[in-house]
Amino acid sequence: MLTMSAPRETSLPSRKGRCPGALAPMPAKDGLLVRLRVSGAVLSSVALRRLASAGAGFGNGIFELTSRGNLQMRGVRDADLPSLTEVLSGLGLIDDDAGAEAIRNVLVSPLTGLDSGVDVGPIGKALEDALAQDKALRALPAKFGFLVDNGGPLSLAQESADVRFDFCADRNMFAVGLAGTAQSAVPLGLCEARDVVEAGFVIARAFLRFGGAMTKPPARMRNLLSACSARMIAETAGLRPDPAPKRARCAEASPIGVIELGEGRLCLGVGAPFGRLSAEMLAAAADAAEIHARGEIRLTPWRALIIPRVAEDRADVLRGLLSRLDFVTERDDPRLAVVACIGASGCDCAAADTQADALYLAPVAKWLGRAGVALHVSGCEKGCARPAAAPYTLVAKAGGYDLIVDGAPSGRAFATELSVTAAAAILAGRGEARLEGQPFLSKLIERKREP
């Protein structure tokens, strides 16, 4: 059993690079951005319907699903913020204070409690509570995150986290890792399910302790590991650096479509195009979950909603209904091959209407033949929609798009000052062997040398 040390009585800096929350909304070009950290990423249809109504009444009716399984509301007016806060409080989505809210960066498997994997929902909730109760931990960087994967069919293996716990069925224990995916994270050892919460707590305290001794405090766990050995952190947490075998690299998870969990148990996953949802779409999803399933919706880090426990004879009807409302319901939908930020309509930093351009480029991205996301269209170098590398990234600048190949938005450009049609032609040319004979793209291939 791990031993939890007493809190240190020391003055700690405030969280760096603040992310928006419900109690600490962030000003944006289109109004206040209010991010909801939904515990366990589970909402009832009643709650989702009320959120849809609140988004239309107090904001501009636009919602976004984030890559951490959060739901954010755009365009909220300052004068309406107190009324919105009252609604959120009634739904149990308000913390005691903004600091407690900000520290709850815990991602759990979206199908936990439904699939064959261990139920990590209670573990995730207990970890959230432990983190929120220790005010010293509010000095953690704003994006510092935890992940608990149950080893089920909709794996979080490809999602990165500062501190991760991956269930290993053959050991009946959790593999503890730092700063990466299940494959790339630095291993710390194994722990029992009952020790996950305490291990996460102690590792977070170790990050502050060792990071505080550095000249420049680390922004993420990977920065700390450049100056501090993983063994030191493992020993602090009472772990033995005797890792479980690394998982083989797996494809990006796809929650879209009917998900069969055996014994007639079905879930339906539907995507939000580029993570964006209207209030009408949210209300429709709530109605669908209530009428055709059990009235529950789960958020995912893949910008998709999952409706659990769909009746077997209703799955196709439900999918057709949501497809007509602009949800992504098929796994081969070209929009799944592209990620894009809100763009110039909602962000002063963005130099282009990224989502309109992403929609135009989606067929090209799809036929590049890459699994998962092939293209990232970013409004600026920050790359909010996907900070990590993508096979192809377009970064909007004043003079057009820069194209980066196999890199992050801040990487070195392969081509610069491209119009969206020129970018499409270059991308089509790079995938020409696969695209041959596609009538929709023939003109783009012919123009691939357009300046």
Side-chain angles (χ1 to χ4, degrees):
M1 184 72 177
L2 301 172
T3 301
M4 189 181 298
S5 58
R8 295 164 58 200
E9 297 295 332
T10 183
S11 176
L12 292 163
S14 60
R15 291 166 66 84
K16 303 177 286 297
R18 179 179 68 84
C19 291
L23 292 174
M26 180 177 290
K29 186 176 181 179
D30 56 349
L32 294 176
L33 181 63
V34 176
R35 182 175 296 173
L36 307 176
R37 290 176 173 84
V38 180
S39 183
V42 179
L43 285 168
S44 69
S45 57
V46 173
L48 194 66
R49 192 179 296 109
R50 291 194 66 188
L51 287 176
S53 177
F58 304 130
N60 59 13
I62 296 174
F63 292 80
E64 292 170 324
L65 291 170
T66 76
S67 60
R68 297 300 294 179
N70 297 317
L71 181 67
Q72 56 192 29
M73 188 182 299
R74 300 199 68 95
V76 175
R77 296 173 289 275
D78 291 83
D80 290 329
L81 189 58
S83 298
L84 173 60
T85 301
E86 185 176 347
V87 171
L88 298 178
S89 179
L91 295 174
L93 296 174
I94 293 291
D95 290 84
D96 292 337
D97 54 64
E101 174 186 62
I103 196 69
R104 291 193 301 104
N105 289 331
V106 180
L107 182 63
V108 300
S109 303
L111 290 180
T112 190
L114 300 170
D115 59 19
S116 57
V118 62
D119 186 359
V120 296
I123 296 174
K125 182 64 169 65
L127 180 56
E128 285 184 358
D129 292 343
L131 294 170
Q133 289 168 11
D134 188 336
K135 293 186 177 180
L137 293 182
R138 297 179 188 184
L140 288 171
K143 295 183 183 297
F144 194 95
F146 301 80
L147 180 154
V148 188
D149 189 12
N150 74 343
L154 206 54
S155 173
L156 296 173
Q158 285 285 56
E159 303 306 308
S160 186
D162 293 281
V163 184
R164 64 182 303 122
F165 299 91
D166 293 281
F167 185 69
C168 302
D170 58 336
R171 305 284 189 94
N172 197 31
M173 298 179 77
F174 285 85
V176 187
L178 302 180
T181 65
Q183 186 192 42
S184 67
V186 177
L188 283 201
L190 298 164
C191 75
E192 303 280 354
R194 64 175 180 269
D195 291 333
V196 166
V197 173
E198 199 168 348
F201 181 92
V202 174
I203 291 170
R205 295 293 298 277
F207 176 90
L208 292 178
R209 175 185 168 191
F210 295 130
M214 295 171 61
T215 304
K216 181 180 179 181
R220 301 294 295 270
M221 182 63 79
R222 63 177 178 272
N223 305 118
L224 177 64
L225 292 177
S226 67
C228 172
S229 74
R231 182 174 292 276
M232 292 173 61
I233 299 174
E235 290 174 352
T236 299
L239 297 167
R240 291 189 309 165
D242 178 23
K246 281 185 176 290
R247 292 188 187 181
R249 185 175 179 85
C250 60
E252 291 186 33
S254 177
I256 305 302
V258 175
I259 303 168
E260 297 186 9
L261 300 178
E263 300 178 356
R265 296 175 300 146
L266 302 180
C267 298
L268 180 67
V270 292
F274 315 121
R276 185 169 175 167
L277 295 160
S278 66
E280 291 78 10
M281 291 171 74
L282 276 191
D287 291 342
E290 199 165 87
I291 297 169
H292 299 284
R294 303 284 184 87
E296 181 182 291
I297 295 93
R298 299 200 176 191
L299 314 179
T300 80
W302 307 292
R303 297 183 170 91
L305 303 174
I306 291 177
I307 301 176
R309 302 183 176 93
V310 176
E312 195 167 1
D313 60 347
R314 300 290 185 90
D316 288 339
V317 172
L318 182 54
R319 179 154 55 177
L321 169 67
L322 295 177
S323 177
R324 289 191 292 274
L325 294 170
D326 205 33
F327 281 97
V328 176
T329 60
E330 302 293 339
R331 293 184 181 180
D332 61 354
D333 191 305
R335 291 173 293 180
L336 294 175
V338 191
V339 293
C341 61
I342 188 65
S345 64
C347 180
D348 286 318
C349 296
D353 186 353
T354 53
Q355 295 199 355
D357 291 342
L359 187 60
Y360 173 81
L361 292 164
V364 188
K366 173 65 179 175
W367 289 104
L368 284 169
R370 302 291 189 109
V373 173
L375 175 64
H376 175 194
V377 183
S378 181
C380 70
E381 288 186 354
K382 289 191 298 181
C384 296
R386 184 184 174 106
Y392 299 97
T393 300
L394 289 171
V395 180
K397 302 287 181 69
Y401 280 106
D402 286 0
L403 173 62
I404 298 161
V405 179
D406 290 326
S410 58
R412 183 177 179 181
F414 170 82
T416 60
E417 298 186 354
L418 300 171
S419 67
V420 67
T421 54
I426 291 175
L427 291 171
R430 292 182 72 85
E432 187 168 347
R434 179 176 176 82
L435 298 172
E436 186 177 354
Q438 298 297 324
F440 180 83
L441 297 171
S442 60
K443 291 184 179 180
L444 296 179
I445 294 172
E446 291 171 6
R447 292 204 308 262
K448 66 183 178 181
R449 292 186 176 84
E450 177 186 341

